[in-house]
Amino acid sequence: MTRRMVLVVAAALYDKQGRVLLAQRPEGKSMAGLWEFPGGKVEAGETPEQALVRELEEELAIRVDQTSLKPITFASFGYPDFHLLMPLFGCECWEGDLHPREGQSFAWVRPLDLHTYPAPAADIPLFDVLSGKKSDLE
């Protein structure tokens, strides 16, 4: 069975204390109530970095320079209806104050505490990397 490929991009935004921003998916969206990194779909003609800059402005009202986005890891996950490919970028600097533009809640979370937040299955390997959990390959 061939499933469509969906390319999304996500950001691990770090504050001065080294905590990571998680956003809770709002009611009415698929997987509502789960916690994830901010980001979204890569549109046709966009690079992942361009898409992430756009998504962070749309979702959080912050401005990020592409040069401040540093690749960390990626997730490749098969959901029943599609296959998700999600690069994760780290970012420590942006302009503006965070404002939830899509009704989402936020939490600043220590990397070691990421796994205490229920998340979509595709995000769990990303939580593993940021929290320093060893993979099965090591």
Side-chain angles (χ1 to χ4, degrees):
M1 178 175 115
T2 303
R3 291 178 287 188
R4 66 186 168 97
M5 173 77 75
V6 176
L7 177 60
V8 300
V9 65
L13 298 174
Y14 286 91
D15 70 3
K16 301 276 190 245
Q17 291 79 40
R19 299 175 301 177
V20 179
L21 183 74
L22 290 182
Q24 189 175 36
R25 294 183 64 83
E27 291 302 317
K29 282 197 168 188
S30 66
M31 297 187 256
L34 298 181
W35 293 86
E36 65 185 359
F37 299 107
K41 289 184 182 172
V42 177
E43 302 292 341
E46 285 183 319
T47 66
E49 293 86 349
Q50 290 169 332
L52 193 51
V53 167
R54 176 185 51 75
E55 286 284 349
L56 293 172
E57 167 67 28
E58 289 174 5
E59 285 184 29
L60 307 177
I62 60 172
R63 290 169 304 289
V64 174
D65 188 297
Q66 284 186 51
T67 60
S68 67
L69 298 173
K70 306 300 180 207
I72 298 175
T73 189
F74 71 95
S76 181
F77 189 83
Y79 284 105
D81 298 336
F82 62 94
H83 191 93
L84 182 87
L85 183 62
M86 179 169 45
L88 177 68
F89 291 84
C91 182
E92 296 178 346
C93 59
W94 56 86
E95 293 180 16
D97 296 321
L98 297 169
H99 295 289
R101 289 184 163 173
E102 298 181 351
Q104 68 274 50
S105 296
F106 296 132
W108 288 103
V109 180
R110 293 178 348 155
L112 289 175
D113 296 332
L114 287 169
H115 288 289
T116 65
Y117 288 77
D123 286 69
I124 301 303
L126 305 177
F127 284 14
D128 290 347
V129 169
L130 293 188
S131 69
K133 182 178 176 193
K134 298 288 185 198
S135 77
D136 293 337
L137 299 176
E138 295 180 56

